[in-house]
Amino acid sequence: MPSIAPARLTRLMVFGLLGGVLFMTFGLVIYESLRAHQLVVGQQQAAEALKLEKYQQRMKYEAEAMHENFLYRFSKAEQLLRDISREQVNAAHTVATNIYNTSKDVLSEQHIKKLIVETLRNVVFSQGRGYIFIDSMAGECILLPINPTLEGTSLWDNRDDAGTYIMRNLIDSVSNEHKQGYASYRWYRPDQPDVMAEKIAYARQFEPYNWLIGGGDYIYKMEDQLRQEVLIRAEGLKLPSGGYLAILDDDGRLLTHTSSINDVGKLPSSFVDKHQQQVVQQFLAAAKKGGDYIEYQWNRTGYDGLHDKLGYAVSIPEANWVVIAAGYRDDVLSDIPQQRGWLVGFIDEFPVLIWPFLVIGLITLLAAIVYARWLGRLINYYQLSIDEQQSRLQTLAERDPLTNLPNRLLMAQSLMEAMDKAVAQQHKLALFVIDVDRFKNINDSLGHALGDKVLQEVGRRMEACVQKESFVARMGGDEFVLLIEPAGSYENLIDLAQNLLIAIHEPILIEQHQLIVTASIGVAMYPEHGANQDVLLRHADIAMYQAKARGRDCYCFYSRAMGELVIDRLQLESDLRKAIEKEQGMFLVYQPQWDLSTGKMMGCEALVRWRHPIRGLIQPLAFIPLAEETGLILALGNWVLRTALAQARAWQDQGLPSISVAVNLSTAQLNQTLPAEIKNLLQTFNLPAEMLELEVTETLLMTAQDEATAILTELKNSGIRIALDDFGTGYSSLSYLSRLPLNVLKIDKSFVDGLPDRKDDVVIAHLIIRMAAELGITTLAEGVETQEQLDFLKSAGCHLIQGYLLARPLPPEDVAALLLQNH
């Protein structure tokens, strides 16, 4: 073998390495181009699959939402009919009353009656189906627009085809203390005069002539109207990518024109194309299964041949309908670009790709020669560091940094896997949504750092309550999720919910603060309450909010009826917001407070009431907690304070004796700006500070002890009286009570109810009165309803009382009269 000079050997090695790098570079160019093309194709396929899946979910959601919309509308049909009838009859009664009042001193009775009858004869409503009728309380027909020949005759013994005495039924409906009411009976259908149908009427007595004025409508007509509204809504609803909703009846007859206006009203058997008949039958079969997807082909306007379509069908058995959501496959995928072939793309891009790879190849060759050993030494070090960082990033991505519980992302992945497993093994899952009650109060009063520690402790307690197979996650804020797989029996789930509530309720000792924390739990079952994550979580959330509405510190399993309750609660919240913002329907009543030593009225407590325009008078227990949850309590509390002071000024302007006015404070109002705001109000209404008394609760004081004490001390020093309301029902200690700047201590009604017979209440009442006397605090007993309670409290040394025995909460004018009488 010939020898090779060292210099030549060096050149051969360099050229060999360079040729190898160039060959590898060219190969990498081809490989990377092919791999990139395959990746793009894969991404395109995945994008198409994802787009089709999302579109299927959207079709299912819209079809099922149409079903739910139908059920909701029909659940309100009878109530809507009642409301319309009541509104029309009330208007007719007002017209009759106005005619009578304006004419009774001018016209004869016969003339007035005729005027009322003829005025109401042409009144119609509900698209002409409803009318106003008048009958005497003795059963004589006075006005019947649809059959005037019966006017002036007795219908006392007139019965419908079910045997109901129609006239007697109407008279019974108004024979009550309200002199008004509803009646159900059957009457002749307008479209079939020989056939009767169910009808609901509303009637009111017209006392001047001993009449009843009524009006009503047919239930089936209202249902037909609602069906037509649903069909119109379906025709107006458009899905993305040109999709639409169509509705068939159970025989396959098309009821909407969204898919094909020429086929409306046709049965499948009337289609010439057998393929179209088969597609309709597929939709009907899918609906009978409870809802299913189908893929089919259909004609398309402006195109030749058949085109692929996607569809979802679900049955509405209550209406004998089938709702179909559909769309063309090409339209759904139209926004996903199509890729060129690999070879064409490679040829086009080769000049651009080759030069960077050549440069990179040369640099890589030189760098490899120079830095090979140095990089070798660093590889092991960096590998260890990379592994450590990957582990840390994995933890950050899947774990909540505060509680170290799984976060929302990991929960979603685990829930998806659990749902797939449940389908394969045919078992159920239970999803608990757990929300800490009034956690915002803890953050606002004690700080976020302490609030974080409370959440950590709650998370630990929940983990201790469940088995290793269960899954506890923090969704964010004060909300946790518990996944039970498999769900087990209903009784076991109830036991678990109760154990969770008990564990969370145990006192938490953090930084010398002993806190009592409660939670509200909502439970949803898979697959009964949701076929996907979003629906299941939403239904568990609804159940949790229902638990809060029931008073918190409890659990609630989801049911379909809860959706309506949530809608009702949201409507009530919207109405409350409008009432507070526009000061409509809100008013104050005042419960007098009496001095036991003189027997005279010395003050009153302002209590807020809400008269809803539709629901009537709503009690404070129904809307005050809602105001607290939604943050409306601040605006409401400020309105109560201003209104009460304005009323105190009005009494002063009337020359009435001066009395104090007590106003309840909420947690939201107790802040650093409160003293200045109250000072401005007192100056505005020109009132002395001694006439205002602010009532606070133990719970309010315990949420922010130091800050609350400082604010109340400033208020008391300005001359305002401070009262502690519902004493004995909270968690405050006697030592803390001695440091509060109080003028009045109110004994809660729960202790007064047992006086003077219940021994425990007697002992507690004596202790409170004696303790307050030692501290120089005036005592006021709430809820005094018997003379025996009054006598006991007076003998025990109680200073003031309030309660139904002496006076209920009164409107301002009654308070004024009582002041004149009492002083």
Side-chain angles (χ1 to χ4, degrees), residues 588 590 640-650 661 663 677-678 681-682 685 687-688 691-692:
L588 296 184
Y590 302 85
V640 170
L641 181 60
R642 172 177 285 274
T643 304
L645 291 177
Q647 185 58 56
R649 179 68 264 165
V661 178
V663 178
E677 293 172 357
I678 292 179
L681 286 174
L682 290 173
F685 296 108
L687 292 172
M691 288 188 64
L692 176 61

mmCIF file with all atom_site columns, all heavy atoms in Angstrom, residues 588 590 640-650 661 663 677-678 681-682 685 687-688 691-692:
data_model
loop_
_atom_site.group_PDB
_atom_site.id
_atom_site.type_symbol
_atom_site.label_atom_id
_atom_site.label_alt_id
_atom_site.label_comp_id
_atom_site.label_asym_id
_atom_site.label_entity_id
_atom_site.label_seq_id
_atom_site.pdbx_PDB_ins_code
_atom_site.Cartn_x
_atom_site.Cartn_y
_atom_site.Cartn_z
_atom_site.occupancy
_atom_site.B_iso_or_equiv
_atom_site.pdbx_formal_charge
_atom_site.auth_seq_id
_atom_site.auth_comp_id
_atom_site.auth_asym_id
_atom_site.auth_atom_id
_atom_site.pdbx_PDB_model_num
ATOM 1   N N   . LEU A 1 588 ? -88.898 51.950 52.793 1.00 0.00 ? 588 LEU A N   1
ATOM 2   C CA  . LEU A 1 588 ? -88.516 51.653 54.171 1.00 0.00 ? 588 LEU A CA  1
ATOM 3   C C   . LEU A 1 588 ? -89.749 51.636 55.066 1.00 0.00 ? 588 LEU A C   1
ATOM 4   O O   . LEU A 1 588 ? -90.705 52.397 54.859 1.00 0.00 ? 588 LEU A O   1
ATOM 5   C CB  . LEU A 1 588 ? -87.532 52.709 54.709 1.00 0.00 ? 588 LEU A CB  1
ATOM 6   C CG  . LEU A 1 588 ? -86.162 52.802 54.036 1.00 0.00 ? 588 LEU A CG  1
ATOM 7   C CD1 . LEU A 1 588 ? -85.311 53.822 54.756 1.00 0.00 ? 588 LEU A CD1 1
ATOM 8   C CD2 . LEU A 1 588 ? -85.465 51.459 53.998 1.00 0.00 ? 588 LEU A CD2 1
ATOM 9   N N   . TYR A 1 590 ? -90.511 51.340 59.490 1.00 0.00 ? 590 TYR A N   1
ATOM 10  C CA  . TYR A 1 590 ? -89.786 51.689 60.707 1.00 0.00 ? 590 TYR A CA  1
ATOM 11  C C   . TYR A 1 590 ? -90.443 50.987 61.896 1.00 0.00 ? 590 TYR A C   1
ATOM 12  O O   . TYR A 1 590 ? -91.654 51.147 62.126 1.00 0.00 ? 590 TYR A O   1
ATOM 13  C CB  . TYR A 1 590 ? -89.800 53.209 60.917 1.00 0.00 ? 590 TYR A CB  1
ATOM 14  C CG  . TYR A 1 590 ? -89.201 53.962 59.765 1.00 0.00 ? 590 TYR A CG  1
ATOM 15  C CD1 . TYR A 1 590 ? -89.962 54.297 58.645 1.00 0.00 ? 590 TYR A CD1 1
ATOM 16  C CD2 . TYR A 1 590 ? -87.850 54.308 59.759 1.00 0.00 ? 590 TYR A CD2 1
ATOM 17  C CE1 . TYR A 1 590 ? -89.406 54.966 57.571 1.00 0.00 ? 590 TYR A CE1 1
ATOM 18  C CE2 . TYR A 1 590 ? -87.288 54.982 58.682 1.00 0.00 ? 590 TYR A CE2 1
ATOM 19  C CZ  . TYR A 1 590 ? -88.066 55.305 57.591 1.00 0.00 ? 590 TYR A CZ  1
ATOM 20  O OH  . TYR A 1 590 ? -87.503 55.969 56.531 1.00 0.00 ? 590 TYR A OH  1
ATOM 21  N N   . VAL A 1 640 ? -80.475 53.039 51.770 1.00 0.00 ? 640 VAL A N   1
ATOM 22  C CA  . VAL A 1 640 ? -81.224 52.932 53.021 1.00 0.00 ? 640 VAL A CA  1
ATOM 23  C C   . VAL A 1 640 ? -80.780 54.036 53.992 1.00 0.00 ? 640 VAL A C   1
ATOM 24  O O   . VAL A 1 640 ? -81.609 54.701 54.628 1.00 0.00 ? 640 VAL A O   1
ATOM 25  C CB  . VAL A 1 640 ? -81.034 51.537 53.649 1.00 0.00 ? 640 VAL A CB  1
ATOM 26  C CG1 . VAL A 1 640 ? -81.603 51.499 55.068 1.00 0.00 ? 640 VAL A CG1 1
ATOM 27  C CG2 . VAL A 1 640 ? -81.695 50.470 52.799 1.00 0.00 ? 640 VAL A CG2 1
ATOM 28  N N   . LEU A 1 641 ? -79.461 54.243 54.098 1.00 0.00 ? 641 LEU A N   1
ATOM 29  C CA  . LEU A 1 641 ? -78.941 55.254 55.020 1.00 0.00 ? 641 LEU A CA  1
ATOM 30  C C   . LEU A 1 641 ? -79.436 56.653 54.633 1.00 0.00 ? 641 LEU A C   1
ATOM 31  O O   . LEU A 1 641 ? -79.932 57.410 55.478 1.00 0.00 ? 641 LEU A O   1
ATOM 32  C CB  . LEU A 1 641 ? -77.416 55.204 55.015 1.00 0.00 ? 641 LEU A CB  1
ATOM 33  C CG  . LEU A 1 641 ? -76.690 56.187 55.950 1.00 0.00 ? 641 LEU A CG  1
ATOM 34  C CD1 . LEU A 1 641 ? -77.095 55.953 57.399 1.00 0.00 ? 641 LEU A CD1 1
ATOM 35  C CD2 . LEU A 1 641 ? -75.179 56.040 55.786 1.00 0.00 ? 641 LEU A CD2 1
ATOM 36  N N   . ARG A 1 642 ? -79.330 56.996 53.372 1.00 0.00 ? 642 ARG A N   1
ATOM 37  C CA  . ARG A 1 642 ? -79.763 58.324 52.922 1.00 0.00 ? 642 ARG A CA  1
ATOM 38  C C   . ARG A 1 642 ? -81.273 58.490 53.089 1.00 0.00 ? 642 ARG A C   1
ATOM 39  O O   . ARG A 1 642 ? -81.740 59.536 53.559 1.00 0.00 ? 642 ARG A O   1
ATOM 40  C CB  . ARG A 1 642 ? -79.369 58.518 51.452 1.00 0.00 ? 642 ARG A CB  1
ATOM 41  C CG  . ARG A 1 642 ? -79.935 59.788 50.824 1.00 0.00 ? 642 ARG A CG  1
ATOM 42  C CD  . ARG A 1 642 ? -79.438 59.957 49.405 1.00 0.00 ? 642 ARG A CD  1
ATOM 43  N NE  . ARG A 1 642 ? -78.050 60.394 49.379 1.00 0.00 ? 642 ARG A NE  1
ATOM 44  C CZ  . ARG A 1 642 ? -77.656 61.643 49.454 1.00 0.00 ? 642 ARG A CZ  1
ATOM 45  N NH1 . ARG A 1 642 ? -78.551 62.611 49.578 1.00 0.00 ? 642 ARG A NH1 1
ATOM 46  N NH2 . ARG A 1 642 ? -76.389 61.959 49.402 1.00 0.00 ? 642 ARG A NH2 1
ATOM 47  N N   . THR A 1 643 ? -82.059 57.462 52.741 1.00 0.00 ? 643 THR A N   1
ATOM 48  C CA  . THR A 1 643 ? -83.523 57.563 52.833 1.00 0.00 ? 643 THR A CA  1
ATOM 49  C C   . THR A 1 643 ? -83.978 57.695 54.281 1.00 0.00 ? 643 THR A C   1
ATOM 50  O O   . THR A 1 643 ? -84.891 58.466 54.599 1.00 0.00 ? 643 THR A O   1
ATOM 51  C CB  . THR A 1 643 ? -84.162 56.331 52.182 1.00 0.00 ? 643 THR A CB  1
ATOM 52  O OG1 . THR A 1 643 ? -83.694 56.213 50.832 1.00 0.00 ? 643 THR A OG1 1
ATOM 53  C CG2 . THR A 1 643 ? -85.679 56.454 52.172 1.00 0.00 ? 643 THR A CG2 1
ATOM 54  N N   . ALA A 1 644 ? -83.342 56.933 55.193 1.00 0.00 ? 644 ALA A N   1
ATOM 55  C CA  . ALA A 1 644 ? -83.723 57.006 56.601 1.00 0.00 ? 644 ALA A CA  1
ATOM 56  C C   . ALA A 1 644 ? -83.430 58.386 57.180 1.00 0.00 ? 644 ALA A C   1
ATOM 57  O O   . ALA A 1 644 ? -84.244 58.952 57.930 1.00 0.00 ? 644 ALA A O   1
ATOM 58  C CB  . ALA A 1 644 ? -82.980 55.924 57.392 1.00 0.00 ? 644 ALA A CB  1
ATOM 59  N N   . LEU A 1 645 ? -82.274 58.972 56.822 1.00 0.00 ? 645 LEU A N   1
ATOM 60  C CA  . LEU A 1 645 ? -81.947 60.309 57.319 1.00 0.00 ? 645 LEU A CA  1
ATOM 61  C C   . LEU A 1 645 ? -82.883 61.365 56.720 1.00 0.00 ? 645 LEU A C   1
ATOM 62  O O   . LEU A 1 645 ? -83.270 62.323 57.406 1.00 0.00 ? 645 LEU A O   1
ATOM 63  C CB  . LEU A 1 645 ? -80.491 60.637 56.994 1.00 0.00 ? 645 LEU A CB  1
ATOM 64  C CG  . LEU A 1 645 ? -79.446 59.827 57.777 1.00 0.00 ? 645 LEU A CG  1
ATOM 65  C CD1 . LEU A 1 645 ? -78.040 60.175 57.312 1.00 0.00 ? 645 LEU A CD1 1
ATOM 66  C CD2 . LEU A 1 645 ? -79.572 60.070 59.273 1.00 0.00 ? 645 LEU A CD2 1
ATOM 67  N N   . ALA A 1 646 ? -83.255 61.190 55.453 1.00 0.00 ? 646 ALA A N   1
ATOM 68  C CA  . ALA A 1 646 ? -84.203 62.121 54.840 1.00 0.00 ? 646 ALA A CA  1
ATOM 69  C C   . ALA A 1 646 ? -85.558 62.062 55.551 1.00 0.00 ? 646 ALA A C   1
ATOM 70  O O   . ALA A 1 646 ? -86.218 63.092 55.757 1.00 0.00 ? 646 ALA A O   1
ATOM 71  C CB  . ALA A 1 646 ? -84.361 61.799 53.351 1.00 0.00 ? 646 ALA A CB  1
ATOM 72  N N   . GLN A 1 647 ? -85.982 60.844 55.952 1.00 0.00 ? 647 GLN A N   1
ATOM 73  C CA  . GLN A 1 647 ? -87.248 60.711 56.672 1.00 0.00 ? 647 GLN A CA  1
ATOM 74  C C   . GLN A 1 647 ? -87.158 61.339 58.063 1.00 0.00 ? 647 GLN A C   1
ATOM 75  O O   . GLN A 1 647 ? -88.111 61.976 58.533 1.00 0.00 ? 647 GLN A O   1
ATOM 76  C CB  . GLN A 1 647 ? -87.640 59.235 56.782 1.00 0.00 ? 647 GLN A CB  1
ATOM 77  C CG  . GLN A 1 647 ? -89.008 59.008 57.416 1.00 0.00 ? 647 GLN A CG  1
ATOM 78  C CD  . GLN A 1 647 ? -90.113 59.715 56.657 1.00 0.00 ? 647 GLN A CD  1
ATOM 79  O OE1 . GLN A 1 647 ? -90.277 59.497 55.460 1.00 0.00 ? 647 GLN A OE1 1
ATOM 80  N NE2 . GLN A 1 647 ? -90.856 60.582 57.323 1.00 0.00 ? 647 GLN A NE2 1
ATOM 81  N N   . ALA A 1 648 ? -86.024 61.176 58.737 1.00 0.00 ? 648 ALA A N   1
ATOM 82  C CA  . ALA A 1 648 ? -85.840 61.802 60.046 1.00 0.00 ? 648 ALA A CA  1
ATOM 83  C C   . ALA A 1 648 ? -85.950 63.323 59.927 1.00 0.00 ? 648 ALA A C   1
ATOM 84  O O   . ALA A 1 648 ? -86.541 63.996 60.777 1.00 0.00 ? 648 ALA A O   1
ATOM 85  C CB  . ALA A 1 648 ? -84.489 61.409 60.634 1.00 0.00 ? 648 ALA A CB  1
ATOM 86  N N   . ARG A 1 649 ? -85.383 63.867 58.836 1.00 0.00 ? 649 ARG A N   1
ATOM 87  C CA  . ARG A 1 649 ? -85.490 65.307 58.604 1.00 0.00 ? 649 ARG A CA  1
ATOM 88  C C   . ARG A 1 649 ? -86.954 65.714 58.380 1.00 0.00 ? 649 ARG A C   1
ATOM 89  O O   . ARG A 1 649 ? -87.417 66.760 58.861 1.00 0.00 ? 649 ARG A O   1
ATOM 90  C CB  . ARG A 1 649 ? -84.652 65.678 57.385 1.00 0.00 ? 649 ARG A CB  1
ATOM 91  C CG  . ARG A 1 649 ? -84.659 67.134 56.976 1.00 0.00 ? 649 ARG A CG  1
ATOM 92  C CD  . ARG A 1 649 ? -83.965 68.029 58.004 1.00 0.00 ? 649 ARG A CD  1
ATOM 93  N NE  . ARG A 1 649 ? -84.882 68.649 58.943 1.00 0.00 ? 649 ARG A NE  1
ATOM 94  C CZ  . ARG A 1 649 ? -84.500 69.221 60.070 1.00 0.00 ? 649 ARG A CZ  1
ATOM 95  N NH1 . ARG A 1 649 ? -83.212 69.260 60.412 1.00 0.00 ? 649 ARG A NH1 1
ATOM 96  N NH2 . ARG A 1 649 ? -85.383 69.755 60.878 1.00 0.00 ? 649 ARG A NH2 1
ATOM 97  N N   . ALA A 1 650 ? -87.697 64.876 57.635 1.00 0.00 ? 650 ALA A N   1
ATOM 98  C CA  . ALA A 1 650 ? -89.097 65.177 57.361 1.00 0.00 ? 650 ALA A CA  1
ATOM 99  C C   . ALA A 1 650 ? -89.912 65.203 58.649 1.00 0.00 ? 650 ALA A C   1
ATOM 100 O O   . ALA A 1 650 ? -90.790 66.053 58.833 1.00 0.00 ? 650 ALA A O   1
ATOM 101 C CB  . ALA A 1 650 ? -89.667 64.156 56.378 1.00 0.00 ? 650 ALA A CB  1
ATOM 102 N N   . VAL A 1 661 ? -82.891 57.179 64.847 1.00 0.00 ? 661 VAL A N   1
ATOM 103 C CA  . VAL A 1 661 ? -83.194 56.268 63.745 1.00 0.00 ? 661 VAL A CA  1
ATOM 104 C C   . VAL A 1 661 ? -82.025 55.302 63.604 1.00 0.00 ? 661 VAL A C   1
ATOM 105 O O   . VAL A 1 661 ? -80.885 55.730 63.410 1.00 0.00 ? 661 VAL A O   1
ATOM 106 C CB  . VAL A 1 661 ? -83.419 57.027 62.423 1.00 0.00 ? 661 VAL A CB  1
ATOM 107 C CG1 . VAL A 1 661 ? -83.677 56.043 61.289 1.00 0.00 ? 661 VAL A CG1 1
ATOM 108 C CG2 . VAL A 1 661 ? -84.578 57.994 62.560 1.00 0.00 ? 661 VAL A CG2 1
ATOM 109 N N   . VAL A 1 663 ? -80.017 52.282 61.664 1.00 0.00 ? 663 VAL A N   1
ATOM 110 C CA  . VAL A 1 663 ? -79.813 51.779 60.305 1.00 0.00 ? 663 VAL A CA  1
ATOM 111 C C   . VAL A 1 663 ? -78.780 50.659 60.360 1.00 0.00 ? 663 VAL A C   1
ATOM 112 O O   . VAL A 1 663 ? -77.732 50.810 61.007 1.00 0.00 ? 663 VAL A O   1
ATOM 113 C CB  . VAL A 1 663 ? -79.330 52.896 59.361 1.00 0.00 ? 663 VAL A CB  1
ATOM 114 C CG1 . VAL A 1 663 ? -79.075 52.338 57.967 1.00 0.00 ? 663 VAL A CG1 1
ATOM 115 C CG2 . VAL A 1 663 ? -80.338 54.029 59.314 1.00 0.00 ? 663 VAL A CG2 1
ATOM 116 N N   . GLU A 1 677 ? -68.489 60.072 54.834 1.00 0.00 ? 677 GLU A N   1
ATOM 117 C CA  . GLU A 1 677 ? -69.747 60.021 54.089 1.00 0.00 ? 677 GLU A CA  1
ATOM 118 C C   . GLU A 1 677 ? -70.930 60.317 55.004 1.00 0.00 ? 677 GLU A C   1
ATOM 119 O O   . GLU A 1 677 ? -71.854 61.061 54.645 1.00 0.00 ? 677 GLU A O   1
ATOM 120 C CB  . GLU A 1 677 ? -69.905 58.647 53.428 1.00 0.00 ? 677 GLU A CB  1
ATOM 121 C CG  . GLU A 1 677 ? -68.887 58.385 52.333 1.00 0.00 ? 677 GLU A CG  1
ATOM 122 C CD  . GLU A 1 677 ? -68.936 56.949 51.838 1.00 0.00 ? 677 GLU A CD  1
ATOM 123 O OE1 . GLU A 1 677 ? -69.732 56.169 52.399 1.00 0.00 ? 677 GLU A OE1 1
ATOM 124 O OE2 . GLU A 1 677 ? -68.185 56.604 50.911 1.00 0.00 ? 677 GLU A OE2 1
ATOM 125 N N   . ILE A 1 678 ? -70.932 59.719 56.213 1.00 0.00 ? 678 ILE A N   1
ATOM 126 C CA  . ILE A 1 678 ? -72.042 59.946 57.143 1.00 0.00 ? 678 ILE A CA  1
ATOM 127 C C   . ILE A 1 678 ? -72.046 61.392 57.620 1.00 0.00 ? 678 ILE A C   1
ATOM 128 O O   . ILE A 1 678 ? -73.112 62.014 57.762 1.00 0.00 ? 678 ILE A O   1
ATOM 129 C CB  . ILE A 1 678 ? -71.946 58.965 58.329 1.00 0.00 ? 678 ILE A CB  1
ATOM 130 C CG1 . ILE A 1 678 ? -72.201 57.529 57.836 1.00 0.00 ? 678 ILE A CG1 1
ATOM 131 C CG2 . ILE A 1 678 ? -72.922 59.331 59.432 1.00 0.00 ? 678 ILE A CG2 1
ATOM 132 C CD1 . ILE A 1 678 ? -72.120 56.483 58.906 1.00 0.00 ? 678 ILE A CD1 1
ATOM 133 N N   . LEU A 1 681 ? -73.729 63.444 55.038 1.00 0.00 ? 681 LEU A N   1
ATOM 134 C CA  . LEU A 1 681 ? -75.182 63.222 55.014 1.00 0.00 ? 681 LEU A CA  1
ATOM 135 C C   . LEU A 1 681 ? -75.866 63.962 56.164 1.00 0.00 ? 681 LEU A C   1
ATOM 136 O O   . LEU A 1 681 ? -76.940 64.561 55.985 1.00 0.00 ? 681 LEU A O   1
ATOM 137 C CB  . LEU A 1 681 ? -75.490 61.719 55.096 1.00 0.00 ? 681 LEU A CB  1
ATOM 138 C CG  . LEU A 1 681 ? -75.234 60.902 53.830 1.00 0.00 ? 681 LEU A CG  1
ATOM 139 C CD1 . LEU A 1 681 ? -75.447 59.424 54.094 1.00 0.00 ? 681 LEU A CD1 1
ATOM 140 C CD2 . LEU A 1 681 ? -76.146 61.370 52.702 1.00 0.00 ? 681 LEU A CD2 1
ATOM 141 N N   . LEU A 1 682 ? -75.285 63.900 57.355 1.00 0.00 ? 682 LEU A N   1
ATOM 142 C CA  . LEU A 1 682 ? -75.867 64.605 58.510 1.00 0.00 ? 682 LEU A CA  1
ATOM 143 C C   . LEU A 1 682 ? -75.903 66.109 58.252 1.00 0.00 ? 682 LEU A C   1
ATOM 144 O O   . LEU A 1 682 ? -76.873 66.798 58.615 1.00 0.00 ? 682 LEU A O   1
ATOM 145 C CB  . LEU A 1 682 ? -75.070 64.282 59.771 1.00 0.00 ? 682 LEU A CB  1
ATOM 146 C CG  . LEU A 1 682 ? -75.197 62.838 60.298 1.00 0.00 ? 682 LEU A CG  1
ATOM 147 C CD1 . LEU A 1 682 ? -74.231 62.598 61.445 1.00 0.00 ? 682 LEU A CD1 1
ATOM 148 C CD2 . LEU A 1 682 ? -76.620 62.535 60.744 1.00 0.00 ? 682 LEU A CD2 1
ATOM 149 N N   . PHE A 1 685 ? -78.759 66.937 55.662 1.00 0.00 ? 685 PHE A N   1
ATOM 150 C CA  . PHE A 1 685 ? -80.114 66.926 56.217 1.00 0.00 ? 685 PHE A CA  1
ATOM 151 C C   . PHE A 1 685 ? -80.228 67.721 57.526 1.00 0.00 ? 685 PHE A C   1
ATOM 152 O O   . PHE A 1 685 ? -81.294 67.694 58.159 1.00 0.00 ? 685 PHE A O   1
ATOM 153 C CB  . PHE A 1 685 ? -80.571 65.483 56.429 1.00 0.00 ? 685 PHE A CB  1
ATOM 154 C CG  . PHE A 1 685 ? -80.700 64.697 55.158 1.00 0.00 ? 685 PHE A CG  1
ATOM 155 C CD1 . PHE A 1 685 ? -79.789 63.690 54.833 1.00 0.00 ? 685 PHE A CD1 1
ATOM 156 C CD2 . PHE A 1 685 ? -81.711 64.984 54.252 1.00 0.00 ? 685 PHE A CD2 1
ATOM 157 C CE1 . PHE A 1 685 ? -79.902 62.979 53.657 1.00 0.00 ? 685 PHE A CE1 1
ATOM 158 C CE2 . PHE A 1 685 ? -81.828 64.273 53.075 1.00 0.00 ? 685 PHE A CE2 1
ATOM 159 C CZ  . PHE A 1 685 ? -80.927 63.270 52.771 1.00 0.00 ? 685 PHE A CZ  1
ATOM 160 N N   . LEU A 1 687 ? -79.034 67.332 60.591 1.00 0.00 ? 687 LEU A N   1
ATOM 161 C CA  . LEU A 1 687 ? -79.424 66.484 61.716 1.00 0.00 ? 687 LEU A CA  1
ATOM 162 C C   . LEU A 1 687 ? -78.252 66.351 62.677 1.00 0.00 ? 687 LEU A C   1
ATOM 163 O O   . LEU A 1 687 ? -77.089 66.238 62.239 1.00 0.00 ? 687 LEU A O   1
ATOM 164 C CB  . LEU A 1 687 ? -79.841 65.088 61.225 1.00 0.00 ? 687 LEU A CB  1
ATOM 165 C CG  . LEU A 1 687 ? -81.123 64.999 60.404 1.00 0.00 ? 687 LEU A CG  1
ATOM 166 C CD1 . LEU A 1 687 ? -81.285 63.601 59.850 1.00 0.00 ? 687 LEU A CD1 1
ATOM 167 C CD2 . LEU A 1 687 ? -82.343 65.382 61.245 1.00 0.00 ? 687 LEU A CD2 1
ATOM 168 N N   . PRO A 1 688 ? -78.536 66.318 63.994 1.00 0.00 ? 688 PRO A N   1
ATOM 169 C CA  . PRO A 1 688 ? -77.457 66.058 64.954 1.00 0.00 ? 688 PRO A CA  1
ATOM 170 C C   . PRO A 1 688 ? -77.024 64.603 64.887 1.00 0.00 ? 688 PRO A C   1
ATOM 171 O O   . PRO A 1 688 ? -77.832 63.704 64.576 1.00 0.00 ? 688 PRO A O   1
ATOM 172 C CB  . PRO A 1 688 ? -78.104 66.391 66.308 1.00 0.00 ? 688 PRO A CB  1
ATOM 173 C CG  . PRO A 1 688 ? -79.568 66.183 66.087 1.00 0.00 ? 688 PRO A CG  1
ATOM 174 C CD  . PRO A 1 688 ? -79.842 66.579 64.669 1.00 0.00 ? 688 PRO A CD  1
ATOM 175 N N   . MET A 1 691 ? -78.963 61.597 66.617 1.00 0.00 ? 691 MET A N   1
ATOM 176 C CA  . MET A 1 691 ? -80.207 61.024 66.096 1.00 0.00 ? 691 MET A CA  1
ATOM 177 C C   . MET A 1 691 ? -79.965 59.793 65.227 1.00 0.00 ? 691 MET A C   1
ATOM 178 O O   . MET A 1 691 ? -80.904 59.102 64.850 1.00 0.00 ? 691 MET A O   1
ATOM 179 C CB  . MET A 1 691 ? -80.964 62.066 65.266 1.00 0.00 ? 691 MET A CB  1
ATOM 180 C CG  . MET A 1 691 ? -81.596 63.158 66.089 1.00 0.00 ? 691 MET A CG  1
ATOM 181 S SD  . MET A 1 691 ? -82.662 64.224 65.083 1.00 0.00 ? 691 MET A SD  1
ATOM 182 C CE  . MET A 1 691 ? -83.923 63.053 64.573 1.00 0.00 ? 691 MET A CE  1
ATOM 183 N N   . LEU A 1 692 ? -78.709 59.492 64.891 1.00 0.00 ? 692 LEU A N   1
ATOM 184 C CA  . LEU A 1 692 ? -78.390 58.334 64.048 1.00 0.00 ? 692 LEU A CA  1
ATOM 185 C C   . LEU A 1 692 ? -77.771 57.236 64.896 1.00 0.00 ? 692 LEU A C   1
ATOM 186 O O   . LEU A 1 692 ? -76.858 57.484 65.678 1.00 0.00 ? 692 LEU A O   1
ATOM 187 C CB  . LEU A 1 692 ? -77.421 58.727 62.930 1.00 0.00 ? 692 LEU A CB  1
ATOM 188 C CG  . LEU A 1 692 ? -76.931 57.581 62.034 1.00 0.00 ? 692 LEU A CG  1
ATOM 189 C CD1 . LEU A 1 692 ? -78.096 56.916 61.309 1.00 0.00 ? 692 LEU A CD1 1
ATOM 190 C CD2 . LEU A 1 692 ? -75.907 58.087 61.026 1.00 0.00 ? 692 LEU A CD2 1
#
